[in-house]
Amino acid sequence: DNRKKGCKEAQFQLGYKGYIQLAIRSGQYKKINVLAIKDGELNYYDPLNEEIDVTLIDDEIKREETNTIGYYAMFEYTNGFRKAMYWSKEKMMKHADEYSKAFSLEGYKKLKEGKVKDEDMWKYSSFWYKDFDGMAYKTMLRQLISKWGIMSIDMQTAYENDMAVINEDGSKDYVDNTEDSSLIIEQTDIDEVEEKQTNDNTQESTPKAPIKQMNLSEI
């Protein structure tokens, strides 16, 4: 195991903005966004109707310094179909603790409380420790799109390889998984989609609509 030997390994990491760009490029999404909800901003979230009401902090600097209490993600297709979801930060931390091999909830709390010794900081190199919100955004998008979204070939390939350490034999180790490995798309699935798209080339494609930037009044 290269990790035990102290060898460096290449790990593919796609940021949450990359997922948004791939979704936009597919031409299927009219709107797609993910947002951290800060303390005091959430008025209510109705999971049944997927409706959220928030009052955002106007001061950007003050908002950045305010504690995050949850995460909201949504998309809308060009045909009008939309999905949305909200997770509390507590749910996100438990999710990371369960599925990431490189993250522990106990360790995260120690790091935030400044109780980690300098000589032990190497143990906290996971992106979940370095950029928790960024990983949370990506988790929200992956959960939302993998369950209800349309995924282009580029998106499926990125989805499969994201956070994977590629071994010499071509196998993959997912050190920083954001979800159950059952959600990881296998290459055979990608091949089947490519074959299906080849067979469907004669069918009329979905017309592409211009991408409009989402604002919160439309959520």
Side-chain angles (χ1 to χ4, degrees):
D1 191 308
N2 287 335
R3 286 185 295 276
K4 292 179 181 178
K5 297 175 183 177
C7 297
K8 292 183 178 179
E9 293 177 320
Q11 183 180 6
F12 176 70
Q13 283 276 353
L14 180 66
Y16 74 93
K17 292 180 181 178
Y19 278 95
I20 292 176
Q21 289 300 318
L22 287 173
I24 291 173
R25 242 190 282 170
S26 73
Q28 301 287 350
Y29 295 84
K30 183 179 180 181
K31 305 173 188 176
I32 182 167
N33 199 15
V34 61
L35 181 72
I37 304 299
K38 300 293 183 174
D39 189 17
E41 291 185 333
L42 181 65
N43 297 322
Y44 74 85
Y45 175 68
D46 177 1
L48 182 62
N49 297 300
E50 298 178 348
E51 295 177 351
I52 191 170
D53 182 67
V54 296
T55 304
L56 298 183
I57 298 172
D58 292 330
D59 188 320
E60 290 187 13
I61 296 177
K62 181 180 178 182
R63 187 174 193 276
E64 188 69 25
E65 295 173 347
T66 303
N67 291 332
T68 296
I69 63 165
Y71 302 94
Y72 176 79
M74 65 81 65
F75 71 69
E76 182 179 337
Y77 291 157
T78 56
N79 66 8
F81 175 79
R82 72 188 305 276
K83 283 302 277 187
M85 59 187 292
Y86 172 82
W87 281 14
S88 67
K89 186 168 184 178
E90 287 75 15
K91 179 176 180 177
M92 184 64 69
M93 289 192 293
K94 290 180 180 178
H95 184 86
D97 186 59
E98 182 174 358
Y99 294 116
S100 173
K101 299 176 184 178
F103 177 88
S104 80
L105 184 54
E106 182 180 350
Y108 181 75
K109 291 178 179 179
K110 285 175 61 177
L111 185 65
K112 286 298 181 181
E113 294 169 358
K115 296 181 179 179
V116 178
K117 298 178 181 179
D118 290 342
E119 59 266 30
D120 292 331
M121 286 300 295
W122 65 272
K123 300 177 182 177
Y124 298 83
S125 59
S126 165
F127 283 89
W128 279 108
Y129 293 120
K130 295 188 292 185
D131 183 13
F132 188 91
D133 278 356
M135 291 294 285
Y137 293 162
K138 183 159 63 172
T139 299
M140 294 294 287
L141 291 173
R142 285 171 65 94
Q143 290 282 324
L144 193 66
I145 294 173
S146 67
K147 293 176 180 177
W148 296 289
I150 295 174
M151 299 181 73
S152 66
I153 297 301
D154 285 343
M155 289 181 72
Q156 291 182 63
T157 303
Y159 192 103
E160 181 199 7
N161 292 323
D162 190 18
M163 294 172 291
V165 173
I166 312 298
N167 300 315
E168 292 181 0
D169 62 358
S171 63
K172 302 179 181 69
D173 289 330
Y174 294 91
V175 179
D176 264 333
N177 279 1
T178 59
E179 62 276 296
D180 188 339
S181 59
S182 64
L183 291 178
I184 300 296
I185 297 174
E186 297 296 337
Q187 185 62 44
T188 52
D189 297 326
I190 296 176
D191 293 339
E192 288 174 3
V193 174
E194 288 176 340
E195 183 179 353
K196 183 178 185 303
Q197 287 195 346
T198 300
N199 295 334
D200 292 346
N201 278 342
T202 57
Q203 296 183 6
E204 183 178 355
S205 60
T206 303
K208 295 183 179 181
I211 302 299
K212 182 176 70 174
Q213 186 174 358
M214 185 188 74
N215 64 60
L216 289 173
S217 65
E218 296 178 310
I219 296 177

